Amino acid sequence: MAHVLVFTEFANGQLKKGSLELLSAARKSGLKIQALALGTGAKGLADALGKEGVDEAIVGDNAAFDKYNPELFTEVVAGILSGKKPEVVLASSTMLARDLFPRVAARIGTGVTSDCTEIEISSSGDVKARRPMYAGKCTAEVAFENSPSKIVLMRPNQLTITPATAAKSPTVEEVSAPAKDLKTLVKEIVKGTSGKLDLTEANIIVAGGRGMKEPGNFKMLEDLADVLGATVGASRAVVDAGWVPHTMQVGQTGKTVAPTLYIAAGISGAIQHLAGMSGSKVIVAINKDANAPIFQKATYGIVGDAFEIVPLLTEEFKKLLHH
Amino acid sequence: MKIYVCIKQVPDTETKIKLKADNGGIDPTGVKWVMNPYDEFAVEEALKLKEGGKATSVTVITLGPKARVVEALRTALAMGADDAVVVDAPEDLDPSATAKALAGAIKAEGGDFKFVLTGKLAIDDNAASVSQMLAEYLQAPHATVVSKLEAGDTNATIERETEGGTREVLQLTLPAVIAANKGLNMPRYASLPGIMKAKKKPVKELTLEAVGASAADIRVKFKNYQLPPEKPAVKMISGDSAAQAQTLAKLLREEAKVI
Ligand SMILES: Cc1cc2nc3c(=O)[nH]c(=O)nc-3n(C[C@H](O)[C@H](O)[C@H](O)COP(=O)(O)OP(=O)(O)OC[C@H]3O[C@@H](n4cnc5c(N)ncnc54)[C@H](O)[C@@H]3O)c2cc1C
């Protein structure tokens, strides 16, 4: 029987939202589901995976997998895919997966596509996926050829999470870290200071541009983000000016994001900025210039001064959310 | 030791995208082509490594319809690369076939290298795959999204930024394949003398067969292109600031249901 293998990611013993989305899509296909989890605590996920309808859990409960080493992960994941031969492999289009799966695909001679926003998996394991091209100026359907395992990386926040109808008790298979001389050493991982979700995973983003006038004013956006459980983003103008780090940049040469809500304050809406966020479900633009191009992409627009509107909005949301 | 830089020609970011009548791809008429912005960081880094005595020469390679893509090579040569190779290939090769062809071209040029540099992704299809696949075909370690590179004789230390501002430091045994991110350096502009000199620098032409790749290496095809659905017109919220904030909060909660 055809089967689909889901590459799951987890933190603090919980499957990430993106992984739950993938598992929902996998269940919809009616295919047998294998789930792979790597890192300390992976074995403890077996129950959670069972609740998600997983038939077979493949776990590497090993500290060697806590730090992403491209070479080690390629070895392990390519090994598993060669053995299990799933018709379809699903992963979230995270930085880890985007680094890993192209190399895995080359090793096992199969196709991979990243950043997909739509997917349908047939009961025979055929895949129909769609992804943005040319920075979201158009989309295209992905057709696999000569691919024994079709590897599809899905953008987070695109698929609906559906509750699993029947829990399963998955078989658990353990994988170990191969002892091998590696040409890649992970020397150091310095965790980002923010405990917030990464922009690419965030459900709500509050972004600021040059209209915020000076770096100190980003505090206003952080306050709003805190109330909404959002992550703060920025335009390139303020990144180049050194107000905020490049990791916060949204756009063609920054991150591509697709949250359910994107609030842009003091951002003009240059085409390169739009390229990174026009896939957002709802866009709010706050700009004092009624002719700013951002309004052409916005769902809701406010012509006004961000310094007045943003704090007022923070207060409104506080009222709404604390009732 | 040599450095190879693999670059791609892509539509300029300002280019308006139109689709072909059969929706099989974009209509190339009127498209302004440029070197992929991330590849400029790769070219710059290669030149810096050579200037710092870490490499002997810089060869740029590209792949695609040769009459068009050779322009991207000229840009890199004008920045200071020593020579160039173009693999003449149809428009629609996927990352798998592209990586196989580029690896073949590097092997055809002698195969010895210290670094192969690429951009972290090309802004046309945004696949971010060729660099890692190339590393696989060349049996070398790789690192992507690299914002800092320190080259030693036998190994290199790189920094990459990942989710949530996390910084990873990797040490790779050379030779290695590196995909450059913004922040790695400030790409230089081609000077006028550079542009003049570039005209005389050698550009070797190779066929797809000569580098051991073919359409049979394609694993992924794109079809049935669509323009994004028209967004409904923006709803402008009027009133004084307090009223605007209140209305917006209400609309987000009750109409859009996103809060
Ligand atoms: C190759 C290339 C790649 C690029 N990549 C990116 C990218 O990845 N991301 C990106 O963002 N840009 C990118 N850019 C830059 C882009 O073209 C714009 O320059 C940039 O997005 C502008 O940033 P901004 O909107 O913050 O600033 P501006 O364009 O200066 O806009 C500031 C806005 O703030 C408004 N404003 C001023 N005061 C207030 C106030 N008190 N209240 C409310 N509004 C106010 C103004 O009306 C104006 O609309 C790229 C450019 C190139 C050429």
Side-chain angles (χ1 to χ4, degrees), chain A residues 208-213 234-238 240 249-255 265-274 286-289 292-294 304-307, chain B residues 12-14 37-38:
Chain A
R210 189 147 43 198
M212 294 309 293
K213 292 283 178 308
S235 73
R236 171 159 160 185
V238 303
D240 284 353
Q249 184 181 319
V250 172
Q252 182 138 38
T253 43
K255 288 188 173 144
I267 293 179
S268 61
I271 188 148
Q272 298 90 354
H273 188 81
L274 299 177
I286 305 169
N287 196 303
K288 65 178 190 190
D289 174 8
I294 187 82
D305 187 341
F307 300 117
Chain B
D12 181 63
T13 57
E14 305 276 354
Y38 290 105

Side-chain angles (χ1 to χ4, degrees), chain A residues 98-99 131 134 143 198 300 308, chain B residues 124-126 144 164 241 255:
Chain A
R98 294 194 72 169
D99 183 88
R131 71 194 295 282
Y134 301 96
D198 190 68
Y300 300 111
E308 275 183 38
Chain B
D124 50 1
D125 61 11
N126 199 32
T144 57
S241 298
E255 187 180 80

Side-chain angles (χ1 to χ4, degrees), chain A residues 95 98-99 103 107 115 130-131 134 137 139 141 143 145 185 187-188 190 198 252 300-301 308, chain B residues 13 15 124-126 132 136 140 144 163-164 167 169 171 173 219 221 223-224 226 237 241 255:
Chain A
M95 302 251 323
R98 294 194 72 169
D99 183 88
R103 183 138 196 180
R107 183 157 308 173
D115 233 8
R130 186 164 275 281
R131 71 194 295 282
Y134 301 96
K137 289 177 192 165
T139 63
E141 193 180 312
E145 296 189 352
L185 294 179
K187 300 291 273 186
E188 199 186 346
V190 189
D198 190 68
Q252 182 138 38
Y300 300 111
E308 275 183 38
Chain B
T13 57
T15 291
D124 50 1
D125 61 11
N126 199 32
Q132 302 91 303
E136 178 63 21
T144 57
E163 263 109 20
R167 206 164 47 83
V169 183
Q171 187 183 306
T173 306
R219 296 285 175 271
K221 274 202 171 148
K223 59 177 194 187
N224 191 10
Q226 286 174 5
I237 300 168
S241 298
E255 187 180 80

Side-chain angles (χ1 to χ4, degrees), chain A residues 133-212:
Chain A
M133 306 283 284
Y134 301 96
K137 289 177 192 165
C138 58
T139 63
E141 193 180 312
V142 183
F144 285 92
E145 296 189 352
N146 297 318
S147 291
S149 295
K150 300 171 265 302
I151 305 178
V152 182
L153 310 187
M154 292 294 306
R155 266 196 200 169
N157 297 329
Q158 300 296 317
L159 302 168
T160 13
I161 297 179
T162 52
T165 41
K168 299 199 167 159
S169 28
T171 55
V172 178
E173 183 179 328
E174 295 191 46
V175 288
S176 50
K180 193 179 169 239
D181 265 351
L182 296 177
K183 291 180 186 165
T184 313
L185 294 179
V186 182
K187 300 291 273 186
E188 199 186 346
I189 294 187
V190 189
K191 282 266 172 237
T193 42
S194 107
K196 299 267 173 65
L197 276 180
D198 190 68
L199 281 174
T200 53
E201 290 177 69
N203 212 7
I204 303 181
I205 292 173
V206 177
R210 189 147 43 198
M212 294 309 293

